[in-house]
Amino acid sequence: MIQLTAGWDESGGLADVHERILAGEAVDDVAGIVRTPILTSWQRCRSLGLVPDRLTLTCEQDLDLDGRLLTAATPVLDRLEAVLDGPPVSVILTDAQARVLARRAGDAELNRHLDATNIVQGYGFPESSAGTNALGTALAERRPVYVLGREHFADCMQQLACAAAPIRDPLSGRVEGVLDLTSFRRHSDPVMLPLAQQAADEIEQRLLEQSSKRERELLAEFLRTRQAAGDLVAPYGEPLPGPAPGADPTAPARPVLPIDPLDQAVLRETAQELIAAPHRVATEVVLSGGRTAVLFCREVCAASGEAGIVVEAAIAAGPRFRLPAPPVPETSRAGTPAIEVTTPSRGSAAEAATGPKELTGEHRSGMPRPGRRKAGRHEAEAEIRGPAHPPEGGTSAQASGQAPHTHAGLLLLGEPGVGRLALLARKRLELLYDASAGIGRTLDVTRTAQELVETVVPRFADLVAVDLPDAVLSGEEPVDIAEGLRRVALGAVREGSHLYDVGEKVDWLPASPQARCLQTGGPVLEPDLSRAVGWIAVDPGRTRKVLESGIHSLITVPLRARGVILGVVSFYRAEGFAAFEDDDLWLAGELAGRAAVCIDNARRFTREHTMALAVQRSLLPRGVPAQDAVEVAHRYLPAQAGVGGDWFDVIPLSGSRVALVVGDVVGHGVHAATTMGRLRTAVHNFSALDLPSEELLTHLDDLVGRLDADSGRIGGIIGATCLYAVYDPVSRRCTFARAGHPPPVLVLPDGTADFVDVPAGPPLGLGGLPFEPCETEVPEGSRIVLYTDGLIESRGQDLDTRLGLLRRTLATTRPPADSPEETCGAVLDALLPARPDDDVALLVARTRALDAERTQHWDVSADPAEVPRVRAAVTRRLRKWDLVEQVPTTELIVSELVTNAIRYGGPPIRLRLIRGHTLVCEVTDGSSTSPRLRRARTTDEGGRGLFLVAQLAERWGTRCTADGKVIWTEQPLPPDGPGGSGGAPAPPAGSSPRAT
């Protein structure tokens, strides 16, 4: 039965998605609003250029109103018209081109609406011209569909609810037409869909029962070769009269078998197998009342050359079994009784595949199901001839109360290869085809197992369960398949018919069919679960409830792929399905084999994805280093398809500056992740040289080009992009440079948000083109937002629209109340789905400023006598900052650096102290010559000053400026000292549900 979701209403949800599709927008976020078949149909209609308010319908006058489809469907339409006595429902039959052949039932209001919509005889409603509708979509999808209200593509049909099922030729599988039930939206009922499917099955059965010209010719030839009056016997032993004068000599006047309908069904089933069998053998069948029948077949050939198989039956002696009068048989157009062809003539197409339902279990009379055995040719002929004399005590069978000793007659006529087995084979092929198309559509282990369940239930089994070990779910090969099984997928027609729920640990006893299946590596068949002691012993309480629910047989098959057993799948059947037989083992094995390959593919992908993700996470920063310039929050979201090459970084620089970096390597997988790690390491190394932003990108561009050349252009990394920004909290200025990367956003303290106009350089690796910097003043409390293209690129929306959405989202935040963490959350919620298609890296930095109380600078003249004065000034400043313990070390460092600047450098000479989370000492001079650290020999008079500075400071270095150089040192401060409160690090990555 169809399930009505929350989106199946008259709210604006469906209409909004409909309008978005018409506008050509992406609709990846409509789960729960529009069902997948409807969404797919809408997209097909959009691609064809259909317009909802204008339909182009054609009317055909050349309809086959006397054809086999309408002939077979008329009794079914009559029955539906008679039983539809509730809310007004119209019954519509179309041909294979969705042209209306007949319309029945419905009240006056509904019929007026259908007339106005042109749902009348002759008009066609294929999806290509009428849009999404039950008639055309059922033909397009080749399966039953339910279209409700706004799900119709056309405006004029949105007041209707329609359920349609395709009608197939039972032998060829070709779609012959569609049976549709239509009502107003307010009268819709989910039961319309199974009712339409049942009616379509009945029409298919009647198509199967229509006798062909070939069959009639074969029947006439058979009757001409036999003495009708002598060989054929009427029901219940009454002699068959000869043909009346002037009547068709080939037309028997009455049915030929003196048995009840149940026994006839048994004989028909056996005859079908005989026709389809490669060898012609006689078969004995035990009937009700203790009687037996012998069936044998022979070939006949008509005058036209058509050949076929005839099955004859001989009913042997036995006690009379009294039955009510048999029904009058339906006659064909020629006036002869309808000839049973090679499938059952009652019930639905599903019964044709599994045999009559009354044959399962016991007879309704309480007698056991008839059995059969093969009989030799001579034995069969002896049974037909019967005993030479009547039984003792009577002169005739009628006088003694016994049935005649032998009743012989025609049972079935058909052709080799056609029959129940042929129909079963076609249905099996259809199921295998659907399994090939429906299993393995994703690279998710659990979803693949569920696709197997959805494909098989209820076409092959009433209940299917898939059990896999935890190792397979995590992407590994199972070590001990019998340990750690877990139920990962379950499909059941009936509630309470399973032993374990999804997610439960499964513990199969060694004697259970599942454990035997895993141990032997082959399928296990249990045709009668009530006698399967090993299965019952798993949990007697649960298994008893399962048996009470109607489950009666089981096939369990190992999921084997590439020589490895990955799990086990169990197929169960319940009442209404015949018990599993040996023939079903092949189909179950094929289904499990195809599913196992798909599960193994998903397992391998999971393993590769996990490895790539582990590599990537090891290469991404695990936290934000301590610094004084900015307060930082960040997010990284991996792509749904796989690991990518996005990265971000926060790198402390000299002079309390900080570098903010975001980069992207195009592509996914381990190659992209490792390339990202190499580029991130290179950026760290180049940053240690205190290069300007544009020069750093130039060096990085050259490195990417060399790496790409070394790779031999196989899996090259051309397409990497980077944005590098340096912020100075003292001057409150920020310098940007970018290589093919989206521009940053600057959000001022008043809430104004705009993109920084940074010149767009080429992507890394192309070479030959320079990168241009952009420097701008950034007020304290502003937010600098860096991101990768995964945040702003989306299918169905252009880039400018997405960039505008990002800017508006940032402008609605409330600085300085909103923290960078809250800004990250707002941006991701506004721009991203739950599972993005591409990697996303987002970095938000709120700027700080170091005021005059935390910095001090002095101009120094090029006179050695200035050194004591500067040293004394530094001491006073450190005492004012309450850094008395740092005075001796700092005095020595300042003396050495200032003396070297006076001796080897040039004016202007400056000294600057910065108190942040470290104590920074910088000496600037006008010379571009950088000092080198060396180890002085014992005989050298100098050369020990810089070595001494390197030993006293935690870090030291040199950076070039436009008019000289800067030599700097950093000294640690006490953790509880006044200078120990540096920049606050960002919260751990797990502090947000969307952080990784």
Side-chain angles (χ1 to χ4, degrees), residues 25-67:
E25 299 180 8
V27 288
D28 299 330
D29 54 347
V30 296
I33 300 178
V34 184
R35 293 179 292 134
T36 301
I38 300 299
L39 181 61
T40 304
S41 176
W42 283 357
Q43 292 170 336
R44 288 197 299 264
C45 297
R46 170 67 177 82
S47 65
L48 293 172
L50 301 183
V51 181
D53 57 353
R54 293 194 302 273
L55 293 184
T56 305
L57 303 179
T58 59
C59 182
E60 297 287 343
Q61 301 298 330
D62 186 17
L63 298 177
D64 188 7
L65 299 181
D66 297 324

mmCIF file of all heavy atoms in Angstrom, residues 25-67:
data_model
loop_
_atom_site.group_PDB
_atom_site.id
_atom_site.type_symbol
_atom_site.label_atom_id
_atom_site.label_comp_id
_atom_site.label_asym_id
_atom_site.label_seq_id
_atom_site.Cartn_x
_atom_site.Cartn_y
_atom_site.Cartn_z
ATOM 1 N N GLU A 25 16.028 25.575 -11.569
ATOM 2 C CA GLU A 25 16.876 25.567 -10.378
ATOM 3 C C GLU A 25 17.137 24.143 -9.919
ATOM 4 O O GLU A 25 16.392 23.216 -10.234
ATOM 5 C CB GLU A 25 16.211 26.362 -9.244
ATOM 6 C CG GLU A 25 15.974 27.822 -9.577
ATOM 7 C CD GLU A 25 15.316 28.555 -8.415
ATOM 8 O OE1 GLU A 25 15.201 27.960 -7.328
ATOM 9 O OE2 GLU A 25 14.916 29.713 -8.596
ATOM 10 N N ALA A 26 18.189 23.976 -9.125
ATOM 11 C CA ALA A 26 18.511 22.669 -8.537
ATOM 12 C C ALA A 26 17.534 22.383 -7.404
ATOM 13 O O ALA A 26 17.127 23.280 -6.668
ATOM 14 C CB ALA A 26 19.939 22.655 -8.014
ATOM 15 N N VAL A 27 17.159 21.131 -7.260
ATOM 16 C CA VAL A 27 16.206 20.715 -6.214
ATOM 17 C C VAL A 27 16.757 19.500 -5.494
ATOM 18 O O VAL A 27 16.167 18.433 -5.487
ATOM 19 C CB VAL A 27 14.812 20.422 -6.807
ATOM 20 C CG1 VAL A 27 14.110 21.686 -7.213
ATOM 21 C CG2 VAL A 27 14.928 19.499 -8.021
ATOM 22 N N ASP A 28 17.916 19.666 -4.858
ATOM 23 C CA ASP A 28 18.542 18.557 -4.152
ATOM 24 C C ASP A 28 18.052 18.441 -2.716
ATOM 25 O O ASP A 28 18.397 17.497 -2.017
ATOM 26 C CB ASP A 28 20.068 18.736 -4.137
ATOM 27 C CG ASP A 28 20.636 18.750 -5.551
ATOM 28 O OD1 ASP A 28 20.039 18.093 -6.418
ATOM 29 O OD2 ASP A 28 21.663 19.414 -5.762
ATOM 30 N N ASP A 29 17.265 19.397 -2.238
ATOM 31 C CA ASP A 29 16.889 19.433 -0.824
ATOM 32 C C ASP A 29 15.383 19.271 -0.641
ATOM 33 O O ASP A 29 14.767 19.948 0.156
ATOM 34 C CB ASP A 29 17.335 20.760 -0.203
ATOM 35 C CG ASP A 29 16.826 21.971 -0.977
ATOM 36 O OD1 ASP A 29 16.351 21.778 -2.119
ATOM 37 O OD2 ASP A 29 16.889 23.090 -0.452
ATOM 38 N N VAL A 30 14.778 18.353 -1.397
ATOM 39 C CA VAL A 30 13.312 18.219 -1.353
ATOM 40 C C VAL A 30 12.886 16.873 -0.793
ATOM 41 O O VAL A 30 11.769 16.431 -1.029
ATOM 42 C CB VAL A 30 12.713 18.417 -2.762
ATOM 43 C CG1 VAL A 30 12.962 19.819 -3.249
ATOM 44 C CG2 VAL A 30 13.289 17.402 -3.736
ATOM 45 N N ALA A 31 13.775 16.191 -0.062
ATOM 46 C CA ALA A 31 13.410 14.908 0.532
ATOM 47 C C ALA A 31 12.249 15.096 1.486
ATOM 48 O O ALA A 31 12.237 16.002 2.315
ATOM 49 C CB ALA A 31 14.617 14.311 1.264
ATOM 50 N N GLY A 32 11.237 14.231 1.394
ATOM 51 C CA GLY A 32 10.057 14.342 2.236
ATOM 52 C C GLY A 32 8.988 15.260 1.676
ATOM 53 O O GLY A 32 7.889 15.324 2.224
ATOM 54 N N ILE A 33 9.296 16.002 0.617
ATOM 55 C CA ILE A 33 8.309 16.911 0.006
ATOM 56 C C ILE A 33 7.769 16.317 -1.286
ATOM 57 O O ILE A 33 6.562 16.269 -1.498
ATOM 58 C CB ILE A 33 8.936 18.294 -0.250
ATOM 59 C CG1 ILE A 33 9.413 18.910 1.074
ATOM 60 C CG2 ILE A 33 7.948 19.214 -0.932
ATOM 61 C CD1 ILE A 33 10.091 20.245 0.903
ATOM 62 N N VAL A 34 8.655 15.856 -2.141
ATOM 63 C CA VAL A 34 8.266 15.276 -3.424
ATOM 64 C C VAL A 34 8.856 13.871 -3.513
ATOM 65 O O VAL A 34 10.045 13.679 -3.268
ATOM 66 C CB VAL A 34 8.766 16.138 -4.604
ATOM 67 C CG1 VAL A 34 8.263 15.564 -5.924
ATOM 68 C CG2 VAL A 34 8.307 17.570 -4.447
ATOM 69 N N ARG A 35 7.999 12.903 -3.884
ATOM 70 C CA ARG A 35 8.491 11.537 -4.051
ATOM 71 C C ARG A 35 9.413 11.456 -5.260
ATOM 72 O O ARG A 35 9.258 12.193 -6.232
ATOM 73 C CB ARG A 35 7.319 10.565 -4.208
ATOM 74 C CG ARG A 35 6.482 10.432 -2.944
ATOM 75 C CD ARG A 35 5.317 9.485 -3.164
ATOM 76 N NE ARG A 35 4.336 10.039 -4.096
ATOM 77 C CZ ARG A 35 3.794 9.367 -5.092
ATOM 78 N NH1 ARG A 35 4.138 8.126 -5.321
ATOM 79 N NH2 ARG A 35 2.900 9.929 -5.880
ATOM 80 N N THR A 36 10.372 10.538 -5.193
ATOM 81 C CA THR A 36 11.392 10.440 -6.248
ATOM 82 C C THR A 36 10.790 10.194 -7.631
ATOM 83 O O THR A 36 11.198 10.840 -8.605
ATOM 84 C CB THR A 36 12.394 9.336 -5.892
ATOM 85 O OG1 THR A 36 12.997 9.654 -4.633
ATOM 86 C CG2 THR A 36 13.466 9.214 -6.963
ATOM 87 N N PRO A 37 9.816 9.259 -7.819
ATOM 88 C CA PRO A 37 9.260 9.084 -9.172
ATOM 89 C C PRO A 37 8.604 10.351 -9.722
ATOM 90 O O PRO A 37 8.717 10.650 -10.913
ATOM 91 C CB PRO A 37 8.246 7.947 -8.991
ATOM 92 C CG PRO A 37 8.672 7.235 -7.757
ATOM 93 C CD PRO A 37 9.250 8.267 -6.870
ATOM 94 N N ILE A 38 7.916 11.091 -8.854
ATOM 95 C CA ILE A 38 7.265 12.321 -9.307
ATOM 96 C C ILE A 38 8.311 13.361 -9.676
ATOM 97 O O ILE A 38 8.212 14.043 -10.700
ATOM 98 C CB ILE A 38 6.309 12.850 -8.223
ATOM 99 C CG1 ILE A 38 5.225 11.809 -7.913
ATOM 100 C CG2 ILE A 38 5.691 14.158 -8.640
ATOM 101 C CD1 ILE A 38 4.355 11.448 -9.082
ATOM 102 N N LEU A 39 9.348 13.500 -8.833
ATOM 103 C CA LEU A 39 10.404 14.470 -9.112
ATOM 104 C C LEU A 39 11.096 14.149 -10.426
ATOM 105 O O LEU A 39 11.361 15.039 -11.245
ATOM 106 C CB LEU A 39 11.407 14.479 -7.963
ATOM 107 C CG LEU A 39 12.573 15.465 -8.091
ATOM 108 C CD1 LEU A 39 12.068 16.890 -8.161
ATOM 109 C CD2 LEU A 39 13.550 15.292 -6.940
ATOM 110 N N THR A 40 11.377 12.870 -10.656
ATOM 111 C CA THR A 40 12.019 12.474 -11.904
ATOM 112 C C THR A 40 11.123 12.781 -13.101
ATOM 113 O O THR A 40 11.594 13.250 -14.146
ATOM 114 C CB THR A 40 12.350 10.981 -11.872
ATOM 115 O OG1 THR A 40 13.152 10.705 -10.725
ATOM 116 C CG2 THR A 40 13.085 10.558 -13.119
ATOM 117 N N SER A 41 9.831 12.534 -12.956
ATOM 118 C CA SER A 41 8.898 12.820 -14.050
ATOM 119 C C SER A 41 8.827 14.318 -14.322
ATOM 120 O O SER A 41 8.812 14.747 -15.478
ATOM 121 C CB SER A 41 7.509 12.265 -13.701
ATOM 122 O OG SER A 41 6.566 12.595 -14.694
ATOM 123 N N TRP A 42 8.778 15.141 -13.270
ATOM 124 C CA TRP A 42 8.777 16.588 -13.465
ATOM 125 C C TRP A 42 10.012 17.044 -14.242
ATOM 126 O O TRP A 42 9.935 17.888 -15.127
ATOM 127 C CB TRP A 42 8.738 17.303 -12.108
ATOM 128 C CG TRP A 42 7.380 17.292 -11.470
ATOM 129 C CD1 TRP A 42 6.232 16.786 -11.973
ATOM 130 C CD2 TRP A 42 7.050 17.810 -10.175
ATOM 131 N NE1 TRP A 42 5.201 16.950 -11.086
ATOM 132 C CE2 TRP A 42 5.665 17.582 -9.986
ATOM 133 C CE3 TRP A 42 7.768 18.432 -9.177
ATOM 134 C CZ2 TRP A 42 5.013 17.970 -8.814
ATOM 135 C CZ3 TRP A 42 7.124 18.826 -8.014
ATOM 136 C CH2 TRP A 42 5.756 18.591 -7.841
ATOM 137 N N GLN A 43 11.152 16.492 -13.880
ATOM 138 C CA GLN A 43 12.375 16.898 -14.563
ATOM 139 C C GLN A 43 12.355 16.477 -16.029
ATOM 140 O O GLN A 43 12.857 17.206 -16.893
ATOM 141 C CB GLN A 43 13.583 16.299 -13.835
ATOM 142 C CG GLN A 43 13.794 16.911 -12.448
ATOM 143 C CD GLN A 43 14.825 16.170 -11.629
ATOM 144 O OE1 GLN A 43 15.073 14.987 -11.857
ATOM 145 N NE2 GLN A 43 15.415 16.845 -10.663
ATOM 146 N N ARG A 44 11.762 15.304 -16.320
ATOM 147 C CA ARG A 44 11.623 14.912 -17.728
ATOM 148 C C ARG A 44 10.723 15.891 -18.465
ATOM 149 O O ARG A 44 11.009 16.288 -19.595
ATOM 150 C CB ARG A 44 11.061 13.492 -17.825
ATOM 151 C CG ARG A 44 12.025 12.395 -17.433
ATOM 152 C CD ARG A 44 11.543 11.041 -17.952
ATOM 153 N NE ARG A 44 10.248 10.668 -17.417
ATOM 154 C CZ ARG A 44 10.073 9.883 -16.366
ATOM 155 N NH1 ARG A 44 11.127 9.379 -15.734
ATOM 156 N NH2 ARG A 44 8.864 9.569 -15.939
ATOM 157 N N CYS A 45 9.625 16.261 -17.840
ATOM 158 C CA CYS A 45 8.696 17.210 -18.477
ATOM 159 C C CYS A 45 9.377 18.551 -18.712
ATOM 160 O O CYS A 45 9.180 19.181 -19.761
ATOM 161 C CB CYS A 45 7.456 17.390 -17.604
ATOM 162 S SG CYS A 45 6.472 15.889 -17.362
ATOM 163 N N ARG A 46 10.166 18.994 -17.740
ATOM 164 C CA ARG A 46 10.875 20.269 -17.902
ATOM 165 C C ARG A 46 11.854 20.202 -19.068
ATOM 166 O O ARG A 46 11.977 21.144 -19.864
ATOM 167 C CB ARG A 46 11.614 20.594 -16.594
ATOM 168 C CG ARG A 46 12.600 21.764 -16.685
ATOM 169 C CD ARG A 46 11.882 23.091 -16.921
ATOM 170 N NE ARG A 46 12.800 24.205 -16.936
ATOM 171 C CZ ARG A 46 13.525 24.568 -17.983
ATOM 172 N NH1 ARG A 46 13.404 23.903 -19.130
ATOM 173 N NH2 ARG A 46 14.351 25.595 -17.916
ATOM 174 N N SER A 47 12.559 19.055 -19.198
ATOM 175 C CA SER A 47 13.518 18.927 -20.291
ATOM 176 C C SER A 47 12.833 18.908 -21.656
ATOM 177 O O SER A 47 13.442 19.265 -22.663
ATOM 178 C CB SER A 47 14.357 17.657 -20.106
ATOM 179 O OG SER A 47 13.539 16.499 -20.218
ATOM 180 N N LEU A 48 11.550 18.487 -21.705
ATOM 181 C CA LEU A 48 10.805 18.464 -22.954
ATOM 182 C C LEU A 48 10.175 19.819 -23.283
ATOM 183 O O LEU A 48 9.556 19.974 -24.335
ATOM 184 C CB LEU A 48 9.705 17.396 -22.890
ATOM 185 C CG LEU A 48 10.183 15.944 -22.839
ATOM 186 C CD1 LEU A 48 9.013 15.008 -22.580
ATOM 187 C CD2 LEU A 48 10.891 15.569 -24.134
ATOM 188 N N GLY A 49 10.294 20.774 -22.368
ATOM 189 C CA GLY A 49 9.748 22.098 -22.614
ATOM 190 C C GLY A 49 8.252 22.208 -22.408
ATOM 191 O O GLY A 49 7.616 23.121 -22.949
ATOM 192 N N LEU A 50 7.649 21.312 -21.610
ATOM 193 C CA LEU A 50 6.207 21.376 -21.370
ATOM 194 C C LEU A 50 5.868 22.544 -20.466
ATOM 195 O O LEU A 50 6.651 22.940 -19.606
ATOM 196 C CB LEU A 50 5.717 20.067 -20.752
ATOM 197 C CG LEU A 50 5.956 18.790 -21.573
ATOM 198 C CD1 LEU A 50 5.349 17.594 -20.874
ATOM 199 C CD2 LEU A 50 5.371 18.935 -22.970
ATOM 200 N N VAL A 51 4.673 23.072 -20.654
ATOM 201 C CA VAL A 51 4.180 24.207 -19.864
ATOM 202 C C VAL A 51 2.932 23.749 -19.125
ATOM 203 O O VAL A 51 2.007 23.198 -19.745
ATOM 204 C CB VAL A 51 3.860 25.414 -20.766
ATOM 205 C CG1 VAL A 51 3.377 26.583 -19.929
ATOM 206 C CG2 VAL A 51 5.095 25.805 -21.575
ATOM 207 N N PRO A 52 2.846 23.974 -17.792
ATOM 208 C CA PRO A 52 1.725 23.416 -17.014
ATOM 209 C C PRO A 52 0.358 23.925 -17.431
ATOM 210 O O PRO A 52 -0.635 23.214 -17.275
ATOM 211 C CB PRO A 52 2.057 23.836 -15.574
ATOM 212 C CG PRO A 52 3.521 24.080 -15.565
ATOM 213 C CD PRO A 52 3.856 24.602 -16.927
ATOM 214 N N ASP A 53 0.268 25.154 -17.935
ATOM 215 C CA ASP A 53 -1.049 25.695 -18.257
ATOM 216 C C ASP A 53 -1.434 25.492 -19.714
ATOM 217 O O ASP A 53 -2.457 26.006 -20.160
ATOM 218 C CB ASP A 53 -1.102 27.191 -17.910
ATOM 219 C CG ASP A 53 -0.028 27.987 -18.629
ATOM 220 O OD1 ASP A 53 0.825 27.358 -19.282
ATOM 221 O OD2 ASP A 53 -0.038 29.225 -18.531
ATOM 222 N N ARG A 54 -0.619 24.771 -20.486
ATOM 223 C CA ARG A 54 -0.961 24.526 -21.884
ATOM 224 C C ARG A 54 -0.597 23.089 -22.234
ATOM 225 O O ARG A 54 0.584 22.724 -22.238
ATOM 226 C CB ARG A 54 -0.229 25.499 -22.826
ATOM 227 C CG ARG A 54 -0.662 26.935 -22.685
ATOM 228 C CD ARG A 54 -0.172 27.767 -23.860
ATOM 229 N NE ARG A 54 1.272 27.720 -23.996
ATOM 230 C CZ ARG A 54 2.098 28.531 -23.360
ATOM 231 N NH1 ARG A 54 1.618 29.448 -22.535
ATOM 232 N NH2 ARG A 54 3.406 28.440 -23.544
ATOM 233 N N LEU A 55 -1.609 22.266 -22.515
ATOM 234 C CA LEU A 55 -1.382 20.888 -22.915
ATOM 235 C C LEU A 55 -1.627 20.753 -24.414
ATOM 236 O O LEU A 55 -2.556 21.349 -24.956
ATOM 237 C CB LEU A 55 -2.310 19.935 -22.160
ATOM 238 C CG LEU A 55 -2.088 19.788 -20.661
ATOM 239 C CD1 LEU A 55 -3.030 18.738 -20.102
ATOM 240 C CD2 LEU A 55 -0.653 19.399 -20.366
ATOM 241 N N THR A 56 -0.790 19.949 -25.056
ATOM 242 C CA THR A 56 -0.968 19.667 -26.476
ATOM 243 C C THR A 56 -1.423 18.226 -26.605
ATOM 244 O O THR A 56 -0.617 17.298 -26.676
ATOM 245 C CB THR A 56 0.343 19.895 -27.248
ATOM 246 O OG1 THR A 56 0.813 21.228 -27.000
ATOM 247 C CG2 THR A 56 0.126 19.691 -28.732
ATOM 248 N N LEU A 57 -2.756 18.036 -26.593
ATOM 249 C CA LEU A 57 -3.324 16.694 -26.666
ATOM 250 C C LEU A 57 -3.855 16.439 -28.065
ATOM 251 O O LEU A 57 -4.384 17.342 -28.725
ATOM 252 C CB LEU A 57 -4.461 16.535 -25.640
ATOM 253 C CG LEU A 57 -4.095 16.811 -24.179
ATOM 254 C CD1 LEU A 57 -5.325 16.631 -23.290
ATOM 255 C CD2 LEU A 57 -2.970 15.897 -23.733
ATOM 256 N N THR A 58 -3.714 15.218 -28.505
ATOM 257 C CA THR A 58 -4.208 14.827 -29.823
ATOM 258 C C THR A 58 -5.295 13.784 -29.665
ATOM 259 O O THR A 58 -5.289 12.991 -28.724
ATOM 260 C CB THR A 58 -3.072 14.262 -30.685
ATOM 261 O OG1 THR A 58 -2.503 13.119 -30.034
ATOM 262 C CG2 THR A 58 -1.988 15.305 -30.913
ATOM 263 N N CYS A 59 -6.224 13.803 -30.609
ATOM 264 C CA CYS A 59 -7.328 12.839 -30.593
ATOM 265 C C CYS A 59 -7.180 11.908 -31.789
ATOM 266 O O CYS A 59 -7.041 12.359 -32.930
ATOM 267 C CB CYS A 59 -8.675 13.566 -30.660
ATOM 268 S SG CYS A 59 -10.105 12.460 -30.595
ATOM 269 N N GLU A 60 -7.187 10.619 -31.531
ATOM 270 C CA GLU A 60 -7.050 9.601 -32.565
ATOM 271 C C GLU A 60 -8.398 8.899 -32.766
ATOM 272 O O GLU A 60 -9.005 8.438 -31.804
ATOM 273 C CB GLU A 60 -5.977 8.576 -32.173
ATOM 274 C CG GLU A 60 -4.581 9.159 -32.032
ATOM 275 C CD GLU A 60 -3.958 9.498 -33.359
ATOM 276 O OE1 GLU A 60 -4.472 8.994 -34.387
ATOM 277 O OE2 GLU A 60 -2.990 10.277 -33.390
ATOM 278 N N GLN A 61 -8.817 8.821 -33.995
ATOM 279 C CA GLN A 61 -10.066 8.127 -34.303
ATOM 280 C C GLN A 61 -9.831 6.655 -34.644
ATOM 281 O O GLN A 61 -10.745 5.831 -34.550
ATOM 282 C CB GLN A 61 -10.773 8.818 -35.488
ATOM 283 C CG GLN A 61 -11.094 10.284 -35.221
ATOM 284 C CD GLN A 61 -12.054 10.459 -34.053
ATOM 285 O OE1 GLN A 61 -12.894 9.592 -33.794
ATOM 286 N NE2 GLN A 61 -11.915 11.582 -33.341
ATOM 287 N N ASP A 62 -8.606 6.330 -35.040
ATOM 288 C CA ASP A 62 -8.304 4.967 -35.473
ATOM 289 C C ASP A 62 -7.876 4.140 -34.260
ATOM 290 O O ASP A 62 -6.703 3.845 -34.053
ATOM 291 C CB ASP A 62 -7.202 4.997 -36.533
ATOM 292 C CG ASP A 62 -6.953 3.614 -37.130
ATOM 293 O OD1 ASP A 62 -7.840 2.757 -36.962
ATOM 294 O OD2 ASP A 62 -5.873 3.420 -37.721
ATOM 295 N N LEU A 63 -8.836 3.774 -33.421
ATOM 296 C CA LEU A 63 -8.574 2.976 -32.232
ATOM 297 C C LEU A 63 -8.987 1.533 -32.470
ATOM 298 O O LEU A 63 -9.961 1.257 -33.201
ATOM 299 C CB LEU A 63 -9.339 3.532 -31.024
ATOM 300 C CG LEU A 63 -8.987 4.957 -30.591
ATOM 301 C CD1 LEU A 63 -9.884 5.380 -29.434
ATOM 302 C CD2 LEU A 63 -7.530 5.068 -30.188
ATOM 303 N N ASP A 64 -8.277 0.617 -31.843
ATOM 304 C CA ASP A 64 -8.582 -0.802 -31.977
ATOM 305 C C ASP A 64 -9.591 -1.181 -30.892
ATOM 306 O O ASP A 64 -9.237 -1.718 -29.839
ATOM 307 C CB ASP A 64 -7.300 -1.622 -31.850
ATOM 308 C CG ASP A 64 -7.530 -3.093 -32.179
ATOM 309 O OD1 ASP A 64 -8.657 -3.423 -32.621
ATOM 310 O OD2 ASP A 64 -6.601 -3.903 -31.981
ATOM 311 N N LEU A 65 -10.865 -0.905 -31.158
ATOM 312 C CA LEU A 65 -11.904 -1.169 -30.161
ATOM 313 C C LEU A 65 -12.379 -2.620 -30.196
ATOM 314 O O LEU A 65 -13.171 -3.013 -29.322
ATOM 315 C CB LEU A 65 -13.094 -0.227 -30.408
ATOM 316 C CG LEU A 65 -12.765 1.264 -30.304
ATOM 317 C CD1 LEU A 65 -14.019 2.100 -30.538
ATOM 318 C CD2 LEU A 65 -12.156 1.597 -28.952
ATOM 319 N N ASP A 66 -11.950 -3.381 -31.166
ATOM 320 C CA ASP A 66 -12.288 -4.805 -31.223
ATOM 321 C C ASP A 66 -11.068 -5.690 -30.975
ATOM 322 O O ASP A 66 -11.128 -6.893 -31.225
ATOM 323 C CB ASP A 66 -12.888 -5.147 -32.597
ATOM 324 C CG ASP A 66 -14.198 -4.425 -32.855
ATOM 325 O OD1 ASP A 66 -14.961 -4.264 -31.873
ATOM 326 O OD2 ASP A 66 -14.437 -4.017 -34.005
ATOM 327 N N GLY A 67 -9.995 -5.094 -30.501
ATOM 328 C CA GLY A 67 -8.766 -5.842 -30.318
ATOM 329 C C GLY A 67 -8.787 -6.713 -29.077
ATOM 330 O O GLY A 67 -9.724 -6.702 -28.272
#
